[in-house]
């Protein structure tokens, strides 16, 4: 044999022997001897004390599922017991984590690229305390393998090594979470279920399993949570999978939860992506609680106060921690109070401010369920939805303040349609459409449109919550409201052509409805063309004062109205009619005085002028005094004054008759009964001006 082949064979044999000796060394070596070195190196890398207090060992295993050379090379399997990791400097408590056992599998080929690749890490018996302080710093962020700065301020070059972890498995463990930024103090406990629960059994959706049985894994662990979040009690329970896929965008992690905070309950079932980084979600979600505005504490989404609600739909999330995330709540349905609600909403955090957009539909809306929007619900209902404000017994206008601070937290563009409105027999609202835009703390509702009595009430409302106090403007236009629809129980009105047309405009400042109206400026103009009035009609409307007044004026008769006209300017909350007149078949009735929205006081005089001998009960004027909460009607002392009565009844006070005439044209035609009344008012205006000139 030649010398060169002999040398080659010798070298090869030597290498084989060296490998065998290395394998034997690894197999028989007691790795506990290098624990001090491992503890020292890991402590230096983490910047805090790390210790393996129990056994440290190494096994070699061929990986499952690997292809090519990586599948033939045995992988080292490191296991360590009784591990402790100290807390970061400046955080309460000495220990951040204690782990009974850790198993880690290392992909050795990555070492050639200075990468510590750990396809899988398994934790057993973990107990961790996670803390975020008020300045936003936390104890779970580590700077490993990156450039660092030494104590002297000079930049120290890092080692160039990186760490990759693909999956984390776990079993029984506890997590204590303290977060000063969220006012949170939460304890989480995780335990094995004993028997895995199929994903489809919880969600009722087996489509993903049918497509790829490995795509969605089973629920393996149960968990419970208890503590406080944003100042409210928090408790809940649920189920999760057994392995966290940290890097895969396609391997979903199953979650199920039933969590309550205060009066709010949230139930979810589905999957999340990249669970430790929360890369996205695909969940069936149900919300319920005393009021939708309570969700702000949990979600950061500004919603209005409502009666008790419940809703269920499908939530998807695309999470981008750098650019902002988007959420979509699709095809949800539920109830708010006794009204149904459904639709689609999206929440976009990619802009300057988060924005809520969508369309909501209610097939049947109970009008009373809108009362909490302006604080007009009862004190009992306020208590149920967690509102601390109470309506005083002597006040009618809502005193509950608007939460303008939350308006600035986000923007919104939401459309709402109520196909049918239920309000008993007293207010025949048919439907509702509203388009709400919230921008920089300012709310614009344009339009806010009601279908009512075969006519329409079109409203535009602007609330400038970015001002202190809040500034508001409202413009209302009622057209072609049919009287026989408003009071359908009165047979005499059936088939009536009578209509109501009205215009109103108000401006004001204040942080509640009571404050806004208490200092409001504006004008209300109303025309009623034909109709009828009776005590029964007042009883139907629930107007006790009106019932008294009508009874005194007309007895129990049904009296037809030719025309009713009102022009009421409002100055700093004081409404003083320039015209408030009813032209009936028997008399002309004029109302004078004022209504003060500030103290909610009434001081009105009702002066009738009989058209003939049939109306024998009208001998003295009537009055309505007192407050909105406790009005006091009565009969003024002394007989009805004859002199000037006709002038008073026709509203001789300076009257902008043009504003009333503008309301006649929608009623249409020469049959309108208000034309003659307005003409008499105009004539009275002209005569008054001539007398003043003379």
């Amino acid at each position: 044999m030649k010398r060169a082949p002999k040398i080659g064979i010798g070298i090869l044999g030597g290498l084989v022997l060296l490998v065998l000796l290395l394998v034997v060394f690894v197999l028989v070596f007691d790795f506990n001897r290098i624990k001090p070195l491992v503890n020292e190196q890991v402590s230096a890398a983490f910047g805090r004390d790390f210790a393996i207090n129990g056994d440290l060992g190494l096994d070699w295993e061929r990986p499952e599922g690997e292809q090519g050379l990586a599948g033939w090379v045995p992988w080292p399997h490191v296991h360590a017991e009784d591990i402790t990791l100290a807390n970061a400097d400046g955080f309460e408590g000495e220990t951040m984590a204690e782990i009974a056992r850790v198993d880690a599998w290392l992909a050795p080929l990555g070492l050639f690229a200075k990468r510590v690749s750990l396809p899988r890490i398994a934790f057993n018996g973990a107990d961790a305390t996670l803390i975020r302080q008020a300045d936003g710093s936390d104890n779970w962020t580590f700077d490993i393998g990156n450039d660092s700065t030494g104590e002297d301020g000079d930049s120290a070059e890092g080692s160039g090594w990186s760490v990759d972890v693909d999956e984390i498995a776990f079993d029984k463990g506890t997590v204590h979470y303290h977060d000063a930024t969220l006012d949170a103090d939460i304890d989480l406990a995780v335990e094995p279920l004993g028997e895995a629960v199929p994903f489809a059994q919880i969600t009722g959706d087996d489509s993903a399993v049918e497509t790829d049985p490995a795509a969605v894994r089973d629920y393996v662990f149960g968990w419970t949570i208890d503590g406080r979040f944003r100042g409210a009690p928090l408790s809940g329970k649920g189920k999760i999978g057994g392995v966290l896929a940290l890097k895969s965008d396609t391997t979903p992690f199953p979650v199920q939860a039933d969590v309550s905070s205060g009066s709010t309950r949230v139930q979810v079932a589905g999957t999340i992506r990249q669970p430790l980084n929360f890369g996205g979600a695909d969940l069936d979600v149900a919300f319920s609680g005393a009021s939708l505005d309570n969700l702000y504490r949990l979600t950061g989404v500004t919603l209005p106060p409502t009666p008790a609600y419940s809703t269920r739909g499908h939530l998807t999330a695309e999470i981008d921690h750098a650019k902002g995330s988007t959420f979509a709540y699709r095809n949800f349905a539920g109830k708010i109070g006794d009204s149904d609600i459904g639709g689609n909403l999206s929440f976009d955090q990619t802009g300057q401010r988060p924005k809520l957009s969508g369309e909501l539909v209610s097939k049947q809306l109970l009008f009373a369920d809108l009362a909490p929007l302006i604080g007009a619900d009862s004190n009992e209902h306020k208590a149920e939805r967690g509102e601390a404000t109470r309506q005083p017994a002597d006040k009618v206008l809502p005193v509950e303040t608007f939460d303008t601070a939350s308006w600035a937290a986000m923007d919104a563009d939401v459309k709402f349609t109520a196909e049918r409105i239920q309000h008993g027999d007293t207010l025949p609202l048919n439907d509702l459409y509203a388009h709400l835009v919230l921008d920089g703390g300012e709310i614009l509702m344009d339009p806010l449109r009601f279908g009512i009595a075969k006519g329409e009430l079109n409203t535009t409302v602007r609330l400038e919550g970015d001002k202190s106090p809040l500034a508001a403007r409202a413009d209302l236009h009622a057209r072609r409201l049919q009287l026989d629809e408003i009071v359908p129980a009165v047979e005499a009105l059936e088939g009536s052509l009578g209509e109501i047309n009205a215009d109103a405009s108000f401006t004001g400042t204040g942080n509640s409805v009571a404050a806004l109206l208490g200092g409001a400026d504006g004008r209300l103009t109303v025309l009623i063309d034909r109709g009828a009035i009776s005590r029964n009609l007042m009883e139907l409307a629930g107007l006790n004062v009106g019932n008294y007044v009508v009874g005194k004026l007309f007895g129990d008769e049904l009296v037809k109205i030719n025309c009713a006209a009102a022009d009421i300017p409002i100055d700093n909350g004081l409404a003083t009619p320039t015209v408030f007149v009813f032209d009936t078949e028997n008399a002309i009735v004029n109302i004078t005085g004022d209504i003060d929205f500030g103290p909610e006081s009434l001081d009105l005089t009702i002066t009738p002028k009989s058209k003939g001998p049939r109306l024998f009960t009208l001998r003295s004027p009537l009055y309505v005094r007192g407050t909105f909460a406790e009005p006091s009607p009565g009969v003024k002392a002394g007989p009805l004054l004859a002199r000037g009565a006709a002038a008073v009844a026709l509203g001789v006070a300076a009257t902008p008759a043009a504003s009333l005439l503008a309301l006649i044209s929608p009623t249409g035609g020469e049959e309108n009964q208000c034309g003659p009344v307005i003409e008499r008012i105009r004539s009275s205006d002209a005569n008054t001006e001539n007398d003043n000139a003379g």
Side-chain angles (χ1 to χ4, degrees):
M1 181 179 291
K2 294 182 179 181
R3 185 177 181 84
K6 289 182 179 180
I7 294 174
I9 292 172
I11 293 173
L12 180 60
L15 290 174
V16 171
L17 179 61
L18 182 61
V19 171
L20 291 174
L21 290 174
L22 181 61
V23 170
V24 171
F25 173 78
V26 169
L27 292 176
V28 300
F29 181 74
D30 184 3
F31 281 87
N32 287 300
R33 294 182 180 182
I34 64 171
K35 282 196 306 184
L37 178 62
V38 172
N39 291 342
E40 180 183 350
Q41 293 297 316
V42 175
S43 296
F46 282 176
R48 62 184 79 173
D49 289 340
F50 171 88
I52 301 174
N53 304 301
D55 184 56
L56 174 63
L58 175 67
D59 301 319
W60 294 83
E61 300 176 359
R62 287 178 58 182
E64 296 181 3
E66 290 292 334
Q67 303 295 324
L69 180 61
W72 285 96
V73 177
W75 288 10
H77 165 207
V78 180
H79 56 84
E81 297 179 354
D82 190 9
I83 300 170
T84 58
L85 178 64
N87 226 337
D89 292 339
F91 288 84
E92 183 179 355
E94 296 183 358
T95 304
M96 173 188 170
E98 297 178 350
I99 306 171
R101 179 183 171 99
V102 173
D103 291 84
W105 287 262
L106 174 67
L109 296 181
L111 298 175
F112 293 102
K114 302 185 73 173
R115 183 177 71 251
V116 179
S117 180
L118 303 173
R120 182 182 176 92
I121 298 179
F123 295 95
N124 299 308
D127 188 322
T129 299
L130 306 180
I131 302 172
R132 192 202 304 269
Q133 301 186 131
D135 62 0
S137 61
D138 61 67
N139 70 337
W140 62 81
T141 299
F142 301 91
D143 186 11
I144 302 175
N146 298 321
D147 291 350
S148 59
T149 302
E151 293 181 359
D152 58 358
D154 295 332
S155 178
E157 191 176 280
S159 65
W161 285 80
S162 63
V163 178
D164 272 343
V165 180
D166 291 341
E167 290 185 348
I168 294 179
F170 50 89
D171 71 350
K172 181 177 180 180
T174 57
V175 176
H176 313 280
Y177 181 66
H178 309 275
D179 193 328
T181 65
L182 297 175
D183 189 15
D185 191 354
I186 300 169
D187 291 328
L188 171 69
V190 179
E191 292 188 356
L193 291 173
E195 183 177 349
V197 178
F199 178 78
Q201 182 175 322
I202 299 295
T203 64
D205 179 11
D206 57 4
S207 58
V209 179
E210 291 175 354
T211 304
D212 182 1
V216 181
R217 301 176 181 180
D218 294 338
Y219 295 98
V220 178
F221 294 97
W223 58 267
T224 59
I225 194 170
D226 187 63
R228 187 188 73 253
F229 183 77
R230 294 192 186 274
L234 179 72
S235 62
K237 61 182 179 179
K239 301 176 182 65
I240 54 176
V243 178
L244 300 173
L246 303 186
K247 298 172 63 177
S248 172
D249 285 331
T250 59
T251 304
F253 181 71
V255 296
Q256 184 264 332
D258 187 345
V259 178
S260 297
S261 177
S263 64
T264 302
R265 182 182 181 187
V266 181
Q267 299 168 282
V268 303
T271 61
I272 58 177
R273 299 192 307 274
Q274 302 179 16
L276 289 190
N277 194 42
F278 192 40
D282 189 353
L283 304 166
D284 291 327
V285 180
F287 297 98
S288 61
S291 176
L292 277 174
D293 62 342
N294 292 337
L295 282 173
Y296 179 74
R297 185 177 63 250
L298 291 175
T299 65
V301 180
T302 301
L303 295 170
T306 65
Y309 70 93
S310 62
T311 179
R312 182 179 297 274
H314 192 76
L315 177 69
T316 57
E318 296 297 330
I319 307 301
D320 188 324
H321 297 284
K323 298 180 180 179
S325 305
T326 59
F327 302 83
Y329 191 38
R330 301 294 184 190
N331 301 319
F332 69 86
K335 297 189 70 176
I336 298 178
D338 291 321
S339 305
D340 68 275
I341 190 74
N344 299 284
L345 290 172
S346 62
F347 189 62
D348 188 342
Q349 296 179 314
T350 60
Q352 181 181 2
R353 288 184 299 273
K355 184 173 182 179
L356 179 70
S357 305
E359 295 193 19
L360 306 176
V361 176
S362 175
K363 296 184 182 300
Q364 180 163 296
L365 172 69
L366 188 67
F367 192 72
D369 291 333
L370 297 177
L373 294 176
I374 58 172
D377 52 339
S378 67
N379 285 337
E380 180 181 354
H381 289 158
K382 292 179 192 292
E384 290 176 357
R385 61 182 171 92
E387 174 57 50
T389 305
R390 296 293 180 268
Q391 182 71 14
D394 60 343
K395 294 289 185 179
V396 172
L397 299 177
V399 301
E400 184 177 330
T401 57
F402 298 111
D403 184 14
T404 55
S406 66
W407 297 1
M410 55 171 276
D411 295 338
D413 188 339
V414 178
K415 299 175 181 178
F416 174 64
T417 301
E419 296 178 356
R420 182 175 179 272
I421 297 179
Q422 180 180 346
H423 194 283
D425 296 328
T426 59
L427 189 59
L429 293 169
N430 306 319
D431 52 60
L432 164 66
Y433 175 77
H435 183 189
L436 181 146
V437 175
L438 172 60
D439 185 6
E442 180 177 301
I443 291 178
L444 173 64
M445 286 184 282
D446 183 19
L448 173 59
R449 182 170 64 241
F450 292 91
I452 176 172
K454 293 185 178 180
E456 280 192 349
L457 175 61
N458 285 287
T459 306
T460 300
V461 178
R462 186 182 297 274
L463 304 174
E464 299 178 63
D466 54 338
K467 296 182 179 179
S468 183
L470 178 149
R473 179 179 181 86
D475 294 288
L476 302 89
H477 307 281
R479 291 294 183 269
R480 300 182 178 89
L481 276 58
Q482 303 299 308
L483 283 172
D484 58 343
E485 291 291 322
I486 294 177
V487 283
V490 180
E491 294 182 1
L493 285 178
E494 290 183 2
S496 170
L497 297 177
E499 292 182 350
I500 298 177
N501 292 283
D503 286 328
S505 180
F506 305 99
T507 60
T509 58
N511 291 330
S512 68
V513 173
L516 285 171
L517 291 178
D521 297 318
R523 193 176 214 97
L524 169 65
T525 307
V526 182
L527 278 184
I528 302 177
D529 170 30
R530 286 168 292 183
I533 192 168
S534 71
R535 292 185 66 177
N536 291 335
L537 210 163
M538 294 296 102
E539 290 174 358
L540 180 66
L543 301 176
N544 294 329
V545 172
N547 185 23
Y548 172 87
V549 171
V550 171
K552 287 293 183 181
L553 292 179
F554 307 116
D556 293 327
E557 296 183 44
L558 182 72
V559 179
K560 291 184 179 180
I561 299 174
N562 298 321
C563 176
D567 181 74
I568 307 175
I570 302 174
D571 183 13
N572 195 28
L574 183 65
T576 305
T578 56
V579 172
F580 200 163
V581 59
F582 287 83
D583 182 358
T584 76
E585 60 180 344
N586 294 334
I588 296 177
V589 180
N590 194 74
I591 301 175
T592 57
D594 55 55
I595 301 169
D596 197 335
F597 288 94
E600 296 190 9
S601 63
L602 298 164
D603 187 5
L604 299 174
T605 298
I606 298 98
T607 307
K609 171 62 177 177
S610 176
K611 288 185 176 180
R614 292 171 52 196
L615 203 62
F616 58 86
T617 58
L618 303 180
R619 292 189 172 88
S620 296
L622 308 178
Y623 66 80
V624 178
R625 297 170 184 159
T627 65
F628 294 0
E630 295 185 4
S632 176
V635 180
K636 284 195 171 185
L640 180 66
L641 298 177
R643 182 181 179 183
V648 171
L650 289 175
V652 170
T655 303
S659 62
L660 293 172
L661 284 171
L663 298 178
I664 292 180
S665 56
T667 305
E670 299 178 355
E671 297 180 357
N672 189 288
Q673 298 296 307
C674 285
V677 174
I678 301 302
E679 286 300 323
R680 289 200 299 271
I681 293 174
R682 294 180 68 182
S683 299
S684 299
D685 289 346
N687 293 336
T688 301
E689 291 176 0
N690 293 333
D691 291 343
N692 291 336

